[in-house]
Amino acid sequence: LNLIKEYTLKIQQNSHCISQIDILNSFAINAIENNWIEPTFVEEEKIEILKGRHPILEKKNKEFIKNDIKLENNKKSLIITGPNMGGKSTYIRQTGIIVILAYIGSYVPAEKAIIGQIDKIFTRMGSSDNISEGYSTFMKEMLDTAYIILNATSKSLVLLDETGKGTNINDGISIAWSIMEYLLQKTNSYNLFSTHYYELVKLCKNNKNLSCIYLHSLKIQNKIKFLYEVKEGYKKQSYGIYIAKLAGFPTQIIIKAKKKLKKLTKKNENTK
C-alpha cells in the first residue's frame, strides 16, 4: 500500500483517461451500430429533428415510427394531443433524449438534428407522491411544475406530460391553460405539452408562438390502430374505454362505461 500510495495521482489520471476512452468508444459503437448521425449546433433559437427515434424503444421495436419536430424562435411551443397509448409521451421523451445526447458529445438517433443553445431541460412526467413529506400526487406535481416555471429561461426545454390531471377537470384545465400561457408570454422557453384537455387547443388560435399536433390513430371495426405518426392539428378521442378493454376489464364494466360515456357526452352537448 505504501508503494502504491506514491502513484496515487498517476493511477487517478489513468483511471480518468480510461473512463473517457470508454465513454467515447460507447458513443462510437452506438453511432455505427444504430445508424446515428452527428448533430449540428447553431446560435439561433432552434430545435429541428428530422425522423427522430427513441434510442431504447427502437431496440425493442424494429418498426419504430420516426417523427419530426421543429421549434424555432417564432414558434417554440407545441400542444400534443392524441389517444392513450398513442405515443405522446414517447415523442416528448425522445426529443429530450436526443438533445441530451447531442450535448454530451454523442451522435443522435435521427436523420438530421439542428440544435440551438439549451441551458436546461425540465421534465414533469408520470405520477408520484411523497408520503414521507405528506405530499399527495397532485401536490407533488404542482411543486415540480412550480419549480420549472420559476427556473426556466428562453433557452430551456420544458417537457410536460398531462399536467393538471390530478384534480377535477375544470381545475385541471384552468391550471394547465394558465401554465401554458405563462410559459408562452413570460418564459418563452421551448415547450412540449401533452394533454387530454382539448380545450387547450384554443390557445393555438390566439398564440403565434404555439402549434397543435397530434399522434395519429384509426378506428377500424371497433378496434383502434395506433399509427404513432405526428400530424398537424388535434385529436379529440382518447379511447380510454378501449384501453380498459385491452387491459382485460370484464365485459359488463366496458358496456356500462360506454353507456355512461354516451350520457355524459349528450349532457355536455346540451349544456353547450
Side-chain angles (χ1 to χ4, degrees):
L1 289 175
N2 287 330
L3 180 63
I4 292 172
K5 190 164 63 175
E6 297 178 17
Y7 298 95
T8 298
L9 182 59
K10 288 186 177 180
I11 291 171
Q12 290 174 337
Q13 289 173 340
N14 285 341
S15 176
H16 179 72
C17 290
I18 291 169
S19 70
Q20 291 292 309
I21 292 169
D22 185 34
I23 291 169
L24 296 173
N25 186 54
S26 295
F27 286 169
I29 290 171
N30 266 317
I32 294 168
E33 291 184 352
N34 301 307
N35 194 30
W36 291 9
I37 57 95
E38 180 183 0
T40 301
F41 291 96
V42 293
E43 294 290 333
E44 60 263 31
E45 295 181 340
K46 191 171 191 177
I47 297 176
E48 183 178 353
I49 298 167
L50 179 64
K51 296 191 182 301
R53 293 120 54 197
H54 192 295
I56 298 172
L57 294 183
E58 74 165 343
K59 286 285 191 180
K60 294 183 177 181
N61 182 6
K62 296 301 180 183
E63 296 180 358
F64 184 86
I65 304 300
K66 307 167 187 177
N67 279 303
D68 304 343
I69 186 167
K70 187 174 183 179
L71 306 172
E72 45 194 351
N73 57 0
N74 60 345
K75 202 170 280 286
K76 294 172 65 179
S77 299
L78 293 174
I79 285 181
I80 306 162
T81 56
N84 293 295
M85 291 180 60
K88 298 188 300 296
S89 297
T90 297
Y91 182 71
I92 290 174
R93 285 188 172 98
Q94 77 183 39
T95 302
I97 290 171
I98 288 171
V99 172
I100 289 171
L101 285 170
Y103 263 88
I104 64 174
S106 172
Y107 278 31
V108 300
E111 288 190 6
K112 177 183 177 183
I114 302 173
I115 301 172
Q117 295 182 22
I118 306 294
D119 60 359
K120 308 178 189 77
I121 298 177
F122 294 100
T123 67
R124 184 53 178 83
M125 310 189 78
S127 299
S128 62
D129 55 19
N130 190 327
I131 297 173
S132 62
E133 295 291 335
Y135 297 146
S136 66
T137 300
F138 183 67
M139 181 60 175
K140 184 66 170 61
E141 179 186 354
M142 292 298 96
L143 287 169
D144 292 345
T145 307
Y147 179 83
I148 293 171
I149 292 169
L150 295 172
N151 290 278
T153 73
S154 62
K155 294 182 180 179
S156 300
L157 174 60
V158 177
L159 310 176
L160 297 175
D161 192 19
E162 298 186 32
T163 298
K165 67 178 181 180
T167 185
N168 72 65
I169 293 177
N170 290 335
D171 279 353
I173 292 170
S174 301
I175 291 169
W177 183 292
S178 299
I179 289 170
M180 195 70 237
E181 275 197 333
Y182 186 92
L183 291 172
L184 285 166
Q185 297 170 6
K186 301 291 185 181
T187 307
N188 193 31
S189 47
Y190 299 94
N191 306 303
L192 273 64
F193 195 118
S194 78
T195 185
H196 286 289
Y197 295 144
Y198 302 106
E199 290 80 1
L200 297 184
V201 301
K202 295 176 183 176
L203 281 166
C204 294
K205 297 178 182 178
N206 302 321
N207 293 275
K208 296 180 180 179
N209 199 15
L210 177 64
S211 297
C212 288
I213 61 171
Y214 68 94
L215 274 297
H216 192 34
S217 62
L218 293 174
K219 190 173 183 180
I220 305 171
Q221 296 180 347
N222 292 323
K223 291 186 178 181
I224 309 303
K225 181 176 177 59
F226 300 110
L227 300 177
Y228 307 111
E229 296 173 352
V230 170
K231 302 281 187 180
E232 291 186 5
Y234 69 94
K235 193 82 170 179
K236 195 169 185 180
Q237 294 86 353
S238 292
Y239 302 122
I241 296 174
Y242 177 78
I243 302 302
K245 184 179 178 181
L246 287 180
F249 274 47
T251 304
Q252 184 180 5
I253 293 178
I254 300 300
I255 292 171
K256 286 189 175 182
K258 287 180 178 179
K259 289 180 179 178
K260 187 65 175 177
L261 179 62
K262 285 183 179 179
K263 288 182 180 179
L264 291 171
T265 303
K266 189 175 181 180
K267 183 180 178 181
N268 290 336
E269 288 175 351
N270 291 336
T271 303
K272 289 177 182 178

